[in-house]
Amino acid sequence: MYWKKMGPHIEEFIVFLTIVIGLNLFFLCTDAIRINWSTTVVLFVILLSIWLIGYVFTFIVFD
């Protein structure tokens, strides 16, 4: 139905996720950033991801 209107937004979101995931994997694999994984860090990452997804989807207009 509205795929032609939503297409560019979905494409932008996929590109954004790809870049963020790629940078995170690069930093974690090269040990440039060392993270001590704990429950607090995992919950923070999950909440941050949910917030970012909600924030990005507020720009999509469902007319």
Side-chain angles (χ1 to χ4, degrees):
M1 289 199 280
Y2 300 107
W3 291 107
K4 288 186 179 182
K5 290 182 181 179
M6 288 178 29
H9 299 291
I10 293 173
E11 183 180 334
E12 179 181 356
F13 182 64
I14 290 171
V15 169
F16 170 76
L17 282 180
T18 304
I19 291 171
V20 168
I21 290 170
L23 285 174
N24 285 331
L25 286 175
F26 172 75
F27 284 128
L28 289 174
C29 290
T30 58
D31 286 335
I33 299 174
R34 293 183 186 219
I35 297 175
N36 293 329
W37 293 101
S38 66
T39 307
T40 307
V41 172
V42 172
L43 289 176
F44 177 73
V45 169
I46 291 171
L47 288 174
L48 184 66
S49 301
I50 291 171
W51 179 78
L52 280 174
I53 290 171
Y55 182 72
V56 169
F57 277 118
T58 59
F59 294 110
I60 298 177
V61 179
F62 296 100
D63 289 332

